[in-house]
């Protein structure tokens, strides 16, 4: 009997070892033509939205195109996972570390470790809150506050400065939710006739966007709402359904402006149900690896690289739709 | 813990049947919350007819509560056997993802797609049931596995994207979550049918008795000839089936399969609904109607918070309060120790 | 084979073997995996979960369950972050001779009542007040503690962060601005306000940490009392505890609070570590974990409390009949778990320099249960080891590290985690059954 237990234990150990070895097909970085291959560690937030998915694919595709070896780690939206991945990158001795931080706070210690190890850091998509700017080389990404302002400015132009706005906020505490609200309100400050009369979090999801907007429409102020500002397209797409179910015309009875510029938003604009989507470009890959190559070559790079982004409204949507990659 | 709660040995002061006594608290809580809204939340009770169907916050509560109500039906039976099913949220995501892929992307006929989706959900339930009934893994851990892996499977199915299905191509799939029957949202009809069937199946046959006996005392039920294993296996299959239906409604409702967010954390709401409804987590007697009312209570709470411009962050706080109050009211020890002076004993 | 240990140690041994197997496999497969740095990094990454899982081990050993741990980590982290001093320091160009101001004068400057430096004893120069943007923590704190409800004058200029304040103040001779309490005002003159370096409110770190630990103890004790006195199921009481702690964290603040206190920034990361030479060191988080582990081992195996925990998990009724203090022990178990979660929250502030109501401890309750189960403790109670839990935590950490080294897609990560959990549980079931059969023969 005891012999069997011994066997079981042995098998268990071998099983674990075997599992790790089984999927073994990728080799170590090869030195092609005498030139050392650049190795980049990239820690992504997760796969929580279409936007993020497009972001990941852009980075992976660009790395493959340039022959850069990419170590990709998915944090599953958890900061602990992300920090552990960054530490793994230090151990792997990668040439450059890039990451999209899950939240703004809490990066000081691990960034110090990375700095001690002499690895340059690129922040992608979201910024971090650190007291020492030298902890990272550059930040490439959209300016969320500016996106909020753009949405606000478009609205001012469209409505002539008069609007009763319902706002669907992103996940509470997340950088895009905070900044997009901030930028939007900045513009509203100068237009006293534009007021946010309803505001609630829709968690960046379609389901919550729809549910929350249904309740907005049924509240006493519901009849007055003539503008919807959503922190992302998905919530706006959910809200559009709620508006239709209430017997109103989205895009006509209620103007809708949202942020991100995903494909679904363009389709809605073509159908006349969404009025404006402020682009937040996820295709950071090319610009990011330009920076990587410059850093490895020892060239100077700017501390802040803003991604090129546009504002699209209904009139441009049809033309732009076929070119949208995400 | 197969400890007798002593619940049924206490004389019931009003001599109501057990289920009526159990329904009292959740119904009272729901009535109180509705009364509060009637006074303090303007427009809450507004009902009008739009496009031939009813429209208003109350209808929203029924409509959005449908998912948790359906989950709660399956969960009630699982909990009655002394188990728990943490995987329902993940199964919802799988159902939505699979439906979008086969019916929308691969353009299967609706009936075939539906059969496949529900079939896969039954398999998922069989997986849970096998772990619990055959391998005797503790239910929390057994279903934790599918909870973790299932969402990954759903994302794998959709390649991590949100799959949107356009209106005209899939009338049946869209009808599930957006259609109307007799002026009410179609999900409400689904709930009604499923509740009626489940009640009939468990109360008009010996099935309900078997489930309760397994939850009360598995060994004893085994010796009295109940196939404890098959009963346990079946409740997990049924729970996954319910999760599948809820997942279809969730996806249909937003006309998209959102693998990452569909059904997220709904397992907790479902468990909560079951407990509010009067079914004890230790297993034994179960109350299907109570669970449905529990789900309604949770949804009413959420809708109230949305309607009243309260920041949605604080939703957990009233939920915590509801759990503690409901648990205390249903605890024999609490009644014995605290309520005794206030409750007159029937002579 | 007489070489095998007594049956009760077999699950522990199996876990140890798997841990070793994973590590060896990883070390062979990946360059730099088997380094001391990677080992330390993995332990450090899992320290928080480890601390929390040690508490959860006692709960599960007693046949209970604690779903509140992750939320308590978030709440206690928020308590530490919110209790620490926060505020602003007031800055002027370096060549401005004024170095003193009272809080009342400052308020009048920003309210537009004092408009010239002459009125403050400086040169004849118009004052240009600069403020941080709306909804920034510096702005909120300034409005609360300096303006005390009075609005800012219209001519106050808004800028978007501390470095913009610095740039604006340096470029404008008459400017006055304020920056975060912890911003290094190099190249700026700092005004003393009522004789202090800035306007600040808060507790010192020791008190803040003590407050957080007390909150954890209180929540744990409260849940323990509900479970014991009213015979409520632990699953629900701790579920309520989870909702309560999560909600309470959001009540403190709806978004994460950065910690910039020098104790957390410097002392924790530079002084309270054990250097190992080179770039390597044992960080405070790991020291806390090891200390707690030692304490928990003693508590579990060499005290009456520990024996009671095992006895209750084995059979609560028998424990009661034997006259063991079941009630007291149960309350203590949940109090201990609450304390461990609070320590986890404090470790979070050490490691992540922030309090976060949303992200902190998300899903940690399930990770903790998984770690305990992988570590060989039975969820039904009575059987298991604290040391096994630590191994379970490390196994989860190694799996995460392997996934990083292996470049796996997000969804595969989830699926693989599920499969591994399954493998462990089946293995454990098998081993336990086998050893039970062996006991009988």
């Amino acid at each position: 009997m005891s012999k069997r237990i011994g066997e079981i234990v042995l098998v268990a150990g071998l099983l674990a070892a075997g599992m790790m070895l089984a999927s073994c097909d990728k080799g170590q970085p090869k030195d092609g033509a005498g030139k050392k291959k650049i190795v980049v560690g990239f820690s992504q937030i997760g796969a929580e939205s279409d936007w993020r998915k497009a972001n990941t694919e852009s980075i992976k595709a660009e790395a493959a195109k340039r022959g850069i070896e990419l170590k990709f780690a998915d944090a599953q939206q958890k900061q602990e996972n992300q920090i552990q991945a960054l530490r793994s990158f230090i151990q792997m001795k990668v040439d450059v570390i890039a990451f999209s931080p899950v939240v703004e706070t809490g990066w000081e210690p691990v960034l110090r470790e990375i700095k001690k190890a002499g690895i340059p850091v690129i922040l992608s998509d979201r910024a971090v809150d650190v007291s020492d700017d030298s902890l990272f080389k550059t930040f490439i990404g959209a300016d969320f506050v500016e996106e909020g302002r753009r949405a606000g400015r478009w609205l001012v132009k469209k409505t002539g400065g008069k609007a009763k706005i319902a706002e669907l906020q992103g996940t509470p505490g997340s950088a895009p939710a905070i900044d997009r609200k901030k930028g939007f309100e900045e513009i509203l400050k100068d237009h006293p006739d534009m007021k946010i009369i309803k505001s609630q979090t829709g968690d960046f999801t379609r389901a919550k966007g729809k549910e929350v907007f249904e309740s907005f429409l049924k509240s006493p102020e519901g009849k007055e709402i003539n503008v919807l500002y959503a922190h992302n397209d998905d919530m706006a797409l959910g809200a559009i359904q709620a508006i239709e179910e209430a017997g109103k015309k989205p895009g006509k009875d209620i103007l809708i402006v949202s942020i991100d510029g995903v494909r679904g938003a363009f389709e809605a604009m073509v159908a006349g149900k969404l009025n404006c989507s402020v682009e937040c470009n996820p295709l950071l890959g090319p610009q990011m690896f330009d920076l990587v190559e410059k850093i490895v070559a020892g060239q100077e790079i700017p501390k802040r690289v803003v991604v090129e982004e546009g504002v699209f409204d209904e009139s441009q949507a049809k033309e732009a739709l076929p070119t949208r990659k995400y | 813990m197969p400890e007798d709660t002593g619940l049924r040995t206490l004389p019931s002061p009003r001599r109501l049947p057990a289920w009526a006594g159990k329904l009292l608290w959740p119904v009272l809580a729901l009535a109180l919350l509705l009364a509060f809204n009637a006074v303090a939340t303007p427009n809450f009770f507004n009902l009008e007819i739009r496009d031939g169907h009813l429209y208003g916050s109350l209808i929203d509560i029924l409509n959005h509560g449908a998912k948790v109500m359906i989950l709660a039906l399956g969960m009630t039976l699982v909990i009655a056997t002394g188990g728990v099913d943490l995987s329902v949220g993940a199964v919802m995501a799988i159902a939505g993802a699979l439906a979008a892929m086969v019916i929308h992307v691969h353009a299967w006929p609706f009936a075939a797609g539906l059969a496949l989706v529900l079939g896969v959900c039954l398999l998922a339930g069989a997986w849970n049931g096998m772990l619990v009934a055959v391998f005797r893994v503790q239910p929390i851990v057994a279903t934790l596995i599918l909870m973790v892996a299932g969402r990954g499977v759903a994302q794998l199915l959709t390649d991590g994207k949100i799959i949107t299905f356009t209106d005209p191509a899939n009338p049946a799939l869209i009808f599930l979550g957006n259609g109307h029957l007799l002026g009410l949202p179609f999900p409400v009809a689904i709930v009604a049918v499923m509740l009626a069937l489940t009640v009939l199946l468990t109360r008009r046959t010996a099935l309900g008795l078997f489930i309760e006996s397994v939850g009360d005392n598995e060994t004893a039920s085994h010796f009295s000839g109940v196939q404890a294993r098959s009963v346990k296996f079946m409740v997990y299959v049924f729970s996954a089936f319910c999760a599948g239906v809820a997942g279809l409604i969730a996806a249909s409702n937003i006309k998209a399969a959102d693998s990452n967010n569909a059904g997220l954390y709904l397992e907790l709401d479902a468990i909560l609904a079951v407990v509010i409804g009067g079914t004890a987590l230790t297993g034994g007697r179960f109350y299907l109607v109570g669970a449905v009312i529990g789900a309604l209570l949770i949804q009413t709470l959420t809708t109230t918070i949305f309607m009243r411009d309260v920041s949605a962050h604080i939703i957990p706080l009233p939920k915590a309060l509801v759990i503690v109050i409901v648990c205390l009211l249903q605890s024999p020890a609490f009644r014995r120790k605290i309520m005794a002076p206030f409750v007159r004993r029937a002579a | 084979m007489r070489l095998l240990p007594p049956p009760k140690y077999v699950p522990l041994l199996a876990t140890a073997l798997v841990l070793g197997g994973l590590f060896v496999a990883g070390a062979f497969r990946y360059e730099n995996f088997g380094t001391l740095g990677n080992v330390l990094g993995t332990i450090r990454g899992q320290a928080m979960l480890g601390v929390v899982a040690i508490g959860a081990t006692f709960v599960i050993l007693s046949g209970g369950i604690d779903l509140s741990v992750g939320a308590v980590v978030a709440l206690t982290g928020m308590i530490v972050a919110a209790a620490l001093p926060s505020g602003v320091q007031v800055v002027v160009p370096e060549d401005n001779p004024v170095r003193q101001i009272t809080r009342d004068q400052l308020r009048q400057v920003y309210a537009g009542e004092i408009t010239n430096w002459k009125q403050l004893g400086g040169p004849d120069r118009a004052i240009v007040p600069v403020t941080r943007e709306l909804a920034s923590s510096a702005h909120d704190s300034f409005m609360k503690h300096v303006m005390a409800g009075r609005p800012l004058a219209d001519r106050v200029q808004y800028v978007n962060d501390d470095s913009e304040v610095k740039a604006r103040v340096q470029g404008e001779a008459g400017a006055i601005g304020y920056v975060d309490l912890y911003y290094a005002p190099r190249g700026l003159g700092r005004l003393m306000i009522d004789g202090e370096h800035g306007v600040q409110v808060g507790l010192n770190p020791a008190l803040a940490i003590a407050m957080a630990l007390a909150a954890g103890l209180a929540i744990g004790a409260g849940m323990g009392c509900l479970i014991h006195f009213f015979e409520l199921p632990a699953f629900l009481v701790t579920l309520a505890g989870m909702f309560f702690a999560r909600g309470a964290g959001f009540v403190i603040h709806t978004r994460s609070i950065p910690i910039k206190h020098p104790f957390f920034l410097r002392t924790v990361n530079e002084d309270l570590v054990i250097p190992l030479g080179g770039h390597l060191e044992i960080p405070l988080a790991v020291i806390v974990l090891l200390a707690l582990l030692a304490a928990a081992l003693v508590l579990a195996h060499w005290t009456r409390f520990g024996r009671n925990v095992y006895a209750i998990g084995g059979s609560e009724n028998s424990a009661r009949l034997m006259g063991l203090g079941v009630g007291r022990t149960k309350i203590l178990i949940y109090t201990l778990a609450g304390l461990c979660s609070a320590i986890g929250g404090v470790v979070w502030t050490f490691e992540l320099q922030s309090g976060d109501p949303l992200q902190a401890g998300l899903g940690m309750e399930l990770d903790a249960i998984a770690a305990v189960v992988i570590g060989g403790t039975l969820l039904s109670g009575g059987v298991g080891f604290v040391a096994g839990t630590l191994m379970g935590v490390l196994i989860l950490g190694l799996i995460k590290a392997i996934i990083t080294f292996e470049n796996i897609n997000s969804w595969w990560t989830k699926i693989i985690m599920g499969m591994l959990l399954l493998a462990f549980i089946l293995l454990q079931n098998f081993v336990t059954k086998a050893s039970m059969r062996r006991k009988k023969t």
Side-chain angles (χ1 to χ4, degrees):
Chain A
M1 194 72 251
S2 52
K3 203 170 166 185
R4 250 185 80 188
I5 300 167
E7 278 167 13
I8 295 161
V9 172
L10 201 68
V11 167
L14 288 176
L15 200 84
M19 264 162 87
M20 291 309 128
L21 294 165
S23 58
C24 183
D25 53 309
K26 288 163 223 147
Q28 296 299 325
K30 287 172 208 95
D31 295 359
K35 206 175 112 195
K36 195 180 169 287
K37 205 171 176 184
I38 300 174
V39 183
V40 174
F42 181 74
S43 169
Q44 179 63 288
I45 293 180
E48 76 280 8
S49 63
D50 280 0
W51 191 97
R52 186 68 53 199
K53 162 102 177 136
N55 180 239
T56 301
E57 294 206 329
S58 157
I59 287 163
K60 281 187 174 169
E62 190 67 22
K65 204 171 103 191
R66 299 187 188 214
I68 289 175
E69 183 177 338
L70 183 70
K71 296 279 180 192
F72 182 85
D74 187 311
Q76 316 257 353
Q77 282 117 298
K78 281 192 194 163
Q79 192 176 12
E80 307 101 282
N81 291 354
Q82 198 157 32
I83 287 181
Q84 202 182 344
L86 296 186
R87 292 214 171 95
S88 296
F89 291 151
I90 301 179
Q91 294 309 320
M92 290 179 203
K93 302 195 167 65
V94 298
D95 298 306
V96 177
I97 290 177
F99 72 109
S100 301
V102 175
V103 290
E104 286 188 350
T105 50
W107 299 103
E108 199 117 10
V110 70
L111 287 180
R112 260 170 225 260
E113 283 169 47
I114 297 174
K115 196 180 173 189
K116 264 192 215 160
I119 302 174
V121 172
I122 299 177
L123 301 175
S124 133
D125 170 39
R126 297 186 186 180
V128 295
D129 182 349
V130 287
S131 55
D132 180 2
D133 278 359
S134 72
L135 289 175
F136 60 92
K137 276 269 183 263
T138 181
F139 164 39
I140 169 174
D143 182 343
F144 294 136
V145 182
E146 179 59 24
E147 287 164 5
R149 286 191 208 116
R150 281 184 186 158
R153 279 189 216 117
W154 179 87
L155 205 57
V156 169
K157 217 163 69 188
K158 183 85 179 172
T159 62
K162 259 180 111 96
K164 295 218 160 114
I165 304 161
E167 180 186 32
L168 286 173
Q169 302 175 35
T171 307
S174 67
I178 296 166
D179 289 349
R180 286 170 183 175
K181 187 172 177 62
K182 192 158 120 185
F184 189 73
E185 285 176 350
E186 232 173 74
I187 301 295
L188 255 52
K189 224 168 43 191
D190 303 326
H191 297 87
D193 284 338
M194 293 174 74
K195 278 207 181 70
I196 297 179
I197 57 172
K198 280 274 175 189
S199 184
Q200 181 66 273
T201 171
D203 276 337
F204 282 135
T205 67
R206 283 193 200 195
K208 275 286 164 213
K210 183 178 179 191
E211 186 177 344
V212 171
F213 206 77
E214 278 177 3
S215 73
F216 280 180
L217 287 171
K218 290 176 182 92
S219 66
E221 303 94 334
K223 289 198 174 63
E224 299 172 25
I225 296 172
N226 56 18
V227 171
L228 162 65
Y229 168 50
H231 288 187
N232 80 345
D233 289 336
D234 277 322
M235 291 190 292
L237 293 174
I240 285 173
Q241 293 179 27
I243 295 169
E244 284 176 332
E245 281 164 24
K248 293 190 176 187
K249 288 211 169 64
K252 311 247 162 17
D253 300 330
I254 295 178
L255 289 180
I256 304 173
V257 48
S258 63
I259 300 179
D260 272 0
V262 299
R263 209 183 162 81
F266 276 82
E267 286 163 358
M269 280 194 279
V270 170
K273 294 175 178 176
L274 184 79
N275 303 91
C276 173
S277 185
V278 176
E279 185 185 33
C280 178
N281 190 353
L283 308 177
L284 301 181
Q287 272 176 295
M288 196 170 100
F289 286 104
D290 280 348
L291 292 170
V292 166
E293 285 177 345
K294 277 187 189 159
I295 289 173
V296 173
Q299 295 169 2
E300 276 297 303
I301 50 163
K303 195 81 196 174
R304 176 79 170 90
V305 179
V306 179
V307 184
E308 270 175 44
E309 293 177 336
V311 178
F312 293 90
D313 65 11
E314 296 149 287
S315 56
Q316 302 145 307
K318 199 161 197 167
E319 207 176 305
L321 180 60
T323 66
R324 301 309 284 177
K325 290 192 191 140
Y326 55 96
Chain B
M1 198 68 41
E3 204 179 2
D4 189 0
T5 54
L7 196 63
R8 260 152 281 146
T9 56
L10 272 179
S12 166
R14 285 168 228 86
R15 287 169 199 279
L16 286 171
W19 61 267
K22 282 287 180 181
L23 274 187
L24 182 69
W25 295 116
V27 169
L28 202 67
L30 184 60
L32 271 176
L33 189 57
L34 288 175
F36 165 79
N37 277 316
V39 178
T41 313
N43 283 13
F44 197 87
F45 278 84
N46 278 11
L47 271 184
E48 42 190 293
I49 292 183
R50 283 207 189 158
D51 304 338
H53 47 254
L54 287 162
Y55 178 87
S57 293
L58 293 176
I59 305 301
D60 279 0
I61 292 174
L62 287 173
N63 195 8
H64 291 300
K67 283 167 281 182
V68 177
M69 286 191 252
I70 292 171
L71 290 182
L73 290 178
M75 192 69 82
T76 305
L77 299 190
V78 171
I79 288 179
T81 64
V84 72
D85 187 352
L86 296 181
S87 70
V88 291
V91 173
M92 279 177 73
I94 293 179
L98 199 57
M101 287 314 284
V102 296
I103 300 174
H104 175 67
V105 179
H106 297 295
W108 285 27
F110 178 72
L114 188 70
L116 179 78
V117 170
L118 293 179
V120 167
C121 291
L122 292 178
L123 274 182
W127 166 266
N128 282 336
M130 185 187 72
L131 287 181
V132 174
V134 181
F135 290 96
R136 297 182 180 278
V137 179
Q138 293 97 338
I140 292 186
V141 186
T143 54
L144 179 66
I145 294 169
L146 191 56
M147 177 190 183
V148 175
R151 200 162 288 281
V153 172
Q155 286 176 325
L156 185 70
L157 285 170
T158 59
D159 196 25
K161 289 182 194 136
I162 299 177
I163 308 285
T164 308
F165 24 93
T166 42
D167 288 39
N170 301 288
L173 186 54
I174 291 190
F175 186 80
L176 271 183
N178 298 288
H180 288 85
L181 193 71
L182 304 174
L184 285 170
F186 191 63
V188 181
I190 300 179
V191 174
V193 170
M194 287 187 68
L195 174 64
L197 282 180
T198 315
V199 170
L200 274 181
L201 214 64
T202 51
R203 295 303 178 203
R204 289 279 171 255
T205 69
L207 211 54
L209 218 58
F210 288 166
I211 292 171
E212 289 180 344
S213 72
V214 169
D216 247 358
N217 189 330
E218 191 175 336
T219 322
S221 70
H222 179 74
F223 282 121
S224 48
V226 175
Q227 295 262 335
R229 278 188 180 192
S230 339
V231 169
K232 278 192 168 181
F233 183 80
M234 270 178 341
V235 293
Y236 285 94
V237 173
F238 180 67
S239 172
F241 174 79
C242 291
V245 175
L248 284 171
I249 294 176
S252 166
N253 215 301
I254 55 167
K255 298 175 191 167
D258 186 348
S259 302
N260 200 53
N261 295 305
L264 201 59
Y265 305 127
L266 280 195
E267 54 280 344
L268 293 183
D269 279 356
I271 294 168
L272 201 52
V274 172
V275 174
I276 292 173
T279 306
L281 268 184
T282 43
R285 295 301 290 267
F286 64 88
Y287 306 92
L288 288 162
V289 179
V292 168
I293 292 174
L296 273 177
L297 180 66
I298 296 171
Q299 187 60 43
T300 310
L301 206 65
T302 311
T303 305
T304 304
I305 282 169
F306 287 153
M307 287 285 283
R308 296 183 55 77
D309 285 342
V310 181
S311 172
H313 314 140
I314 66 138
I315 289 182
L317 282 180
K319 270 189 190 167
L321 203 66
V322 168
I323 301 177
V324 172
I325 292 175
V326 168
C327 283
L328 284 179
L329 286 175
Q330 289 172 353
S331 146
F334 178 75
R335 293 190 193 168
R336 207 165 52 232
K337 289 178 180 163
I338 309 289
M339 301 273 280
F342 308 107
V343 179
R344 262 192 318 148
R345 297 236 161 182
Chain C
M1 281 239 307
R2 288 183 194 287
L3 285 169
L4 272 173
K8 74 173 205 176
Y9 293 115
V10 170
L12 197 63
L13 197 72
T15 311
L17 267 176
V18 172
L19 179 63
L22 274 180
F23 181 71
V24 172
F28 270 113
R29 178 140 165 63
Y30 314 104
E31 211 182 345
N32 300 322
F33 190 93
T35 56
L36 185 60
N38 189 41
V39 174
L40 277 174
T42 305
I43 299 178
R44 183 173 187 177
Q46 296 299 97
M48 215 175 335
L49 178 63
V51 167
V52 166
I54 285 173
T57 309
F58 283 91
V59 173
I60 292 175
L61 276 177
S62 77
I65 195 159
D66 189 351
L67 298 178
S68 72
V69 295
V72 174
V73 166
L75 173 64
T76 48
M78 284 301 283
I79 290 176
V80 173
L84 289 171
S86 65
V88 294
Q89 35 184 347
V90 175
V91 291
V92 291
E94 253 180 337
D95 56 5
N96 190 329
V98 178
R99 280 291 179 272
Q100 301 276 350
I101 194 170
T102 68
R103 209 178 281 213
D104 286 333
Q105 286 171 330
L106 191 60
R107 182 182 312 126
Q108 286 167 335
V109 167
Y110 274 84
E113 287 158 16
I114 295 178
T115 54
N116 195 302
W117 284 108
K118 211 166 52 180
Q119 292 163 276
L120 298 171
D124 183 7
R125 207 182 273 162
I127 300 183
V128 182
V130 178
T131 177
R132 286 282 308 273
E133 77 281 18
L134 294 172
S136 60
S137 57
H139 174 268
D140 291 350
S141 157
F142 187 80
M143 294 308 283
K144 195 165 153 201
H145 302 303
V146 177
M147 299 311 287
R150 297 192 55 182
L152 297 177
D154 285 343
R155 53 193 202 87
V156 173
Q157 300 179 4
Y158 284 83
V159 294
N160 275 325
D161 59 39
D162 285 344
S163 42
E164 275 186 43
V165 173
K166 181 174 166 181
R168 189 68 62 92
V169 169
Q170 281 176 333
E172 176 78 57
I176 182 171
Y178 62 86
V179 290
D180 190 90
L181 188 61
Y182 299 106
Y183 186 76
R186 251 168 275 143
L188 292 168
R190 188 163 59 179
L191 291 190
M192 301 287 280
I193 301 153
D194 296 332
E196 288 188 42
H197 286 299
V199 182
Q200 56 169 299
V201 189
L203 303 175
N204 77 37
L207 275 176
I209 291 174
M211 243 172 83
L213 296 183
L217 276 175
I219 293 178
M223 294 191 303
C225 287
L226 282 174
I227 292 168
H228 168 62
F229 288 118
F230 302 120
E231 294 163 25
L232 302 182
F235 188 96
L236 285 173
V237 171
T238 57
L239 183 66
M242 164 180 150
F243 283 132
F244 170 78
R246 215 25 103 187
F250 271 117
V251 168
I252 293 178
H253 201 62
T254 52
R255 53 196 234 214
S256 70
I257 305 176
I259 294 176
K260 294 186 177 157
H261 194 284
F263 175 80
F264 286 85
L265 234 50
R266 304 250 174 277
T267 316
V268 163
N269 279 295
E270 285 163 22
D271 303 338
L272 297 176
V273 298
I274 303 176
L276 296 176
H279 289 318
L280 298 175
E281 60 191 26
I282 300 180
L284 183 57
V286 175
I287 299 172
V288 170
L289 172 66
L290 295 178
L292 191 69
L293 177 72
L297 283 173
V298 172
L299 204 57
H301 300 301
W302 284 284
T303 65
R304 189 193 291 168
F305 170 76
R307 282 195 295 278
N308 287 359
V309 172
Y310 279 95
I312 293 173
S315 164
E316 190 168 330
N317 278 334
S318 318
R320 192 169 283 129
L321 291 175
M322 281 191 286
L324 304 177
V326 171
R328 198 187 50 214
T329 309
K330 269 176 113 174
I331 296 174
L332 273 177
I333 289 168
Y334 287 92
T335 313
L336 178 68
L339 179 67
C340 285
S341 304
I343 296 176
V346 172
V347 171
W348 172 280
T349 61
F350 289 164
E351 285 289 286
L352 296 164
Q353 320 267 306
S354 62
D356 193 327
L358 181 71
Q359 288 286 336
L362 205 59
M364 198 180 258
E365 47 284 339
L366 296 179
D367 283 348
I369 293 172
V372 172
V373 169
I374 291 174
T377 301
L378 290 190
L379 261 187
S380 45
V383 183
F385 299 93
V386 175
T389 298
L390 187 76
M391 289 191 242
V393 167
L394 292 182
I395 287 174
L396 289 181
L398 278 184
I399 292 172
K400 277 192 210 164
I402 286 171
I403 285 170
T404 307
F405 274 79
E406 185 68 39
N407 264 334
I408 301 175
N409 239 339
S410 171
W411 34 93
W412 282 111
T413 313
K414 287 178 189 158
I415 295 171
I416 289 171
M417 283 292 251
M419 301 299 280
L420 285 174
L421 203 55
L422 174 75
F424 276 110
I425 289 159
L426 289 184
L427 177 77
Q428 203 192 26
N429 260 34
F430 200 49
V431 169
T432 324
K433 266 184 210 144
S435 62
M436 265 160 68
R437 249 178 278 142
R438 182 181 166 213
K439 219 190 279 178
K440 276 177 198 158
T441 51

